[in-house]
Amino acid sequence: MKYDFIVVGQGIAGSVLADHLISAGFQVMVISEPELSNSSRVAGGLYNPITGRKMVKTWQADGLFEYLETYYEQLEKRLGSDFLQKKPIYRPFFSISEQNEWIAKSIDDEFSPYIQSVFDKPKFSDQVNDEFGGLLLKKCGYLNTNNFLESFAVFLKKKGCFRQEFFDIEALQLGDGGLTYKGLSADKIIFADGQLLTKNSLFNWLPLRPVKGELLFIKVEEPIDVIFNRGVFVIPIGNGICK
């Protein structure tokens, strides 16, 4: 069978890309071996309109965040699964000046759609150090990335467009009219396999800098109803367990 696209990697990016291509009527084959690169599966999955140490608006937030929740909610229905968790994010202030800055920004049309409340006094002092108060954000939450990826893999397998295997770059043959790979032929190939590009002879010249993080799961007695995020994040995932 001739495919329009081969997508290498079934992380968040590869899955969402493949879904959009399939929905647009293209023939797609996804090739992935999750054991080789699983950063999407262990990621916090946060979507957050105000990010970074300097708390700036996320890149293209106005367009992306209007689409994000609607897209994943519709995908949940199509896949018969739950993976989108809407939840406010609380970002403690580091200083009085930062507090004053966000009180002013709360009435700015650029930021106000994402601000639920600005606190000039401690709000969650039993749980975090917020002596200067903090910023409670809306239009945010997290994606249960493992549920999402597992559900989407099942969808791909049912459509017969998923191969769970190591992608051998040496078996890829590129030509003027398209490409072939282990009996498959396609017009185009898209690599969405994260840090594995460093081992890909087509792209290993790119100045990629893989990053590493660590996750800690804790059990708490104090009920936590928001996501804390400032330097590190604390995501309540249920039954007193936080990521």
Side-chain angles (χ1 to χ4, degrees):
M1 180 175 176
K2 177 72 178 290
Y3 293 91
D4 297 301
F5 295 93
I6 292 175
V7 176
V8 182
Q10 198 245 318
I12 297 173
S15 296
V16 171
L17 172 63
D19 183 53
H20 280 76
L21 291 172
I22 292 169
S23 297
F26 293 105
Q27 295 295 326
V28 177
M29 173 60 71
V30 178
I31 301 175
S32 182
E33 177 47 78
E35 295 302 318
L36 294 178
S37 182
N38 59 6
S39 57
S40 285
R41 292 180 178 272
V42 300
L46 285 179
Y47 63 101
N48 180 3
I50 306 296
T51 57
R53 182 175 180 83
K54 295 183 179 180
M55 297 215 296
V56 297
K57 193 157 76 169
T58 301
W59 176 75
Q60 293 195 4
D62 295 336
L64 294 175
F65 278 66
E66 285 299 317
Y67 183 70
L68 184 152
E69 291 186 343
T70 300
Y71 168 70
Y72 280 115
E73 286 172 339
Q74 292 175 347
L75 190 57
E76 284 181 319
K77 293 178 182 178
R78 284 198 280 127
L79 300 182
S81 183
D82 295 317
F83 36 77
L84 181 70
Q85 305 295 324
K86 298 180 181 180
K87 195 171 286 291
I89 292 178
Y90 183 69
R91 308 207 65 184
F93 295 135
F94 286 161
S95 66
I96 290 293
S97 61
E98 193 173 63
Q99 175 197 109
N100 291 335
E101 177 186 355
W102 280 97
I103 289 174
K105 284 182 177 179
S106 66
I107 58 174
D108 185 330
D109 290 342
E110 183 180 1
F111 294 95
S112 60
Y114 306 103
I115 298 174
Q116 183 166 317
S117 300
V118 179
F119 298 99
D120 58 4
K121 297 179 181 178
K123 176 62 178 176
F124 297 96
S125 56
D126 290 340
Q127 300 167 354
V128 294
N129 180 4
D130 64 341
E131 62 178 310
F132 301 110
L135 182 66
L136 190 64
L137 299 168
K138 57 185 178 180
K139 293 189 178 182
C140 46
Y142 71 96
L143 191 71
N144 185 321
T145 56
N146 200 55
N147 282 3
F148 163 60
L149 296 175
E150 290 292 340
S151 299
F152 195 71
V154 171
F155 165 76
L156 291 173
K157 289 173 183 177
K158 287 181 178 179
K159 289 185 67 67
C161 55
F162 182 71
R163 284 189 177 184
Q164 184 171 328
E165 62 183 55
F166 165 71
F167 186 86
D168 182 6
I169 191 67
E170 300 300 326
L172 177 65
Q173 299 293 320
L174 302 176
D176 293 336
L179 57 99
T180 60
Y181 177 80
K182 292 186 177 181
L184 302 174
S185 60
D187 292 329
K188 295 179 174 64
I189 185 167
I190 301 172
F191 290 92
D193 51 350
Q195 56 87 21
L196 292 179
L197 280 184
T198 59
K199 301 176 182 178
N200 184 325
S201 57
L202 294 175
F203 296 101
N204 59 9
W205 54 271
L206 290 170
L208 299 178
R209 292 188 299 122
V211 297
K212 181 181 179 181
E214 294 179 324
L215 284 175
L216 178 68
F217 290 85
I218 60 174
K219 186 171 179 63
V220 298
E221 296 181 358
E222 183 78 18
I224 297 179
D225 299 319
V226 301
I227 297 169
F228 296 118
N229 186 18
R230 197 73 200 262
V232 298
F233 59 74
V234 179
I235 304 174
I237 58 177
N239 299 319
I241 304 297
C242 293
K243 181 190 291 189

